[in-house]
Amino acid sequence: MIAIIDYGVGNLKSVYKALNSLGFHTIIAKKNEEILNSNALILPGVGAFRDAMSQLSSSGLKEGLLKSVEVGKPVLGICLGMQLLFDKSFEDGEFDGLGLMEGEIHRFDKGLKVPHMGWNHLKKHIDDPIGKELKDNEYVYFVHSYYLKTKEHQNVIYWCNYGMEFPALIRKNNIIGMQFHPEKSGKTGIQLLKNFGELVG
Amino acid sequence: MLTKRIIPCLDVNNGRVVKGKKFQNLIDVDDPVKLAKYYSAEGADELVFYDITASNEGRNIFLHLVEQTAEEVNIPFTVGGGIRGIQDFHDVLRAGADKVSVNSAAVMNPEIITEAALKYGRQCVVLSIDAKKNLQGQWNVYINGGRVDTKLDALEWAVKGEMLGAGEIVINSIDTDGIKDGYEIELTKSISEVVSIPVVASGGAGKREDFYKVLTEGKADAALAASVFHYGEIKIYDLKDYLYSSRVPIRRTE
């Protein structure tokens, strides 16, 4: 069972619907109990970093998430949900993230249209089961104003280019982050969600 | 490379897709959910739903359609039309929309842009501007479906909209809407040059070359069209092939 963490931000329906239609039993989890009973987690998120972090804490669901990471369950952060997995973000200030992977979230440089909104292609860096069946340069849908800066290049599965290279899909053991929206990325996105579902033992 | 987007727009009236000319003479086209699925499969990059019904009952039918569409398609879609306040944002986002487009309400009450941006993020606030050229050769902002001239300058309004928190601008030319003689290039280009958020051109697509022109010369990030797609005059698949071979960065699907 895959649990989508519902901590009050974002539209969870499309991820939920996509995973269920792929045959993965998925629930929208509002309680730690549900999170702890699941085999894998999805951390969604839209909106602002600070609000999302504080809602994740105040909902108490951060606890279930961290415990799940510790025991090695596959965890997928999507968009802002991915950004929360890192050390800190500079979105309208400086705020601590979950610190599960090393890196910082910065705003796109001036001179670029922000948000980076639309379909951009994935550039493969490392072969990984999460990218199974994907061809070179497939397109996925991005909507974000901030991007990840990390020194852990060995964890970057796919890069994307918008003004410069930034990680589009990153993986450290059981923790996976997708900066784009797989649930809005047509067939390519569905394949990626399928690959994630298949990581669940 | 970030690609240019092709966006079919569905004007929905009492649960059906309709199309008019210069915002009038509406005729019935098709079932919105069916069309949305079809466009998604054909390679549309995004969809827009405009609710042009006025009644409460119509609105409920519309929200139900948004829900059904969200279940059937896995590309982003924007909902607009009749958005008055933050509750409307809430309702359509909950029904499954990814972005919400505001027009008249933002002119009457600009704070709605900021309020929605803070609550749901800039990326889901689209400022839609209906503009018409005045006698001085500048563009005025119109509201209430193109019926009321606000005397606001479209370029100034676009800049202000970005400042208030809009994440994207749709610029719709009333003069070219439904006429199929090309987008308003000068207007689109001017808007695109004064803001640093994505700009979607709307109104006037008639042939493939019109898309090419607005995405290159017009500097638009996306091109929106309705009737040429609804009546099958242009197939999205063919359009994208043509744009790709004309060296416009475009996402092609199998």
Side-chain angles (χ1 to χ4, degrees), chain A residues 11 13 17 46-47 51 112-121 135 139 141 143 162 183-186 190, chain B residues 1-3 45-46 67 70-71 73-76 94 96 98-99 123 167-168 192 196-198 221 251 254:
Chain A
N11 169 16
K13 251 190 197 167
K17 174 208 70 180
V46 292
D51 293 354
L112 285 170
K113 283 205 175 191
V114 172
H116 168 226
M117 186 188 281
W119 298 79
N120 205 331
H121 74 258
K135 297 193 189 82
Y139 284 93
Y141 188 81
V143 189
Y162 188 58
E183 76 282 13
K184 291 288 164 184
S185 296
I190 296 298
Chain B
M1 191 177 201
L2 182 63
T3 58
D45 295 307
E46 221 170 297
E67 256 172 31
E71 283 190 11
V73 303
N74 46 19
I75 57 171
R94 240 189 114 85
D98 300 290
K99 302 189 236 179
Q123 80 292 333
E168 184 170 66
S192 204
S196 53
I197 49 179
D221 298 285
R251 160 189 167 254
E254 279 170 29

Side-chain angles (χ1 to χ4, degrees), chain B residues 193-221:
Chain B
E193 283 172 348
V194 294
V195 298
S196 53
I197 49 179
V199 172
V200 182
S202 163
K207 51 189 185 303
R208 300 184 310 182
E209 291 75 10
D210 298 336
F211 289 88
Y212 175 79
K213 208 170 170 191
V214 84
L215 293 171
T216 52
E217 206 182 310
K219 299 190 173 177
D221 298 285

Side-chain angles (χ1 to χ4, degrees), chain A residues 116-127:
Chain A
H116 168 226
M117 186 188 281
W119 298 79
N120 205 331
H121 74 258
L122 297 173
K123 223 174 86 182
K124 199 202 293 190
H125 182 229
I126 294 170
D127 268 314

Side-chain angles (χ1 to χ4, degrees), chain B residues 65-136:
Chain B
L65 280 173
V66 171
E67 256 172 31
Q68 278 180 281
T69 307
E71 283 190 11
E72 300 279 356
V73 303
N74 46 19
I75 57 171
F77 80 103
T78 303
V79 164
I83 302 298
R84 292 277 165 264
I86 207 77
Q87 185 62 40
D88 295 320
F89 270 83
H90 175 86
D91 291 346
V92 297
L93 290 172
R94 240 189 114 85
D98 300 290
K99 302 189 236 179
V100 184
S101 148
V102 272
N103 191 324
S104 305
V107 173
M108 309 298 281
N109 172 25
E111 291 77 36
I112 189 181
I113 298 176
T114 313
E115 197 186 340
L118 286 173
K119 190 149 187 195
Y120 303 107
R122 281 170 183 257
Q123 80 292 333
C124 75
V125 186
V126 181
L127 176 61
S128 173
I129 302 176
D130 291 338
K132 193 175 168 156
K133 212 173 205 170
N134 64 25
L135 295 171
Q136 288 75 45

Side-chain angles (χ1 to χ4, degrees), chain A residues 4 13 17 20 29 32 67 76 78 110 113 116 128 141 145 153 162 172 179 182:
Chain A
I4 303 171
K13 251 190 197 167
K17 174 208 70 180
N20 270 315
N32 271 320
K67 272 190 192 152
L76 168 63
I78 296 175
K110 285 215 159 70
K113 283 205 175 191
H116 168 226
D128 188 278
Y141 188 81
S145 303
H153 288 192
Y162 188 58
K172 187 175 189 178
Q179 179 59 74

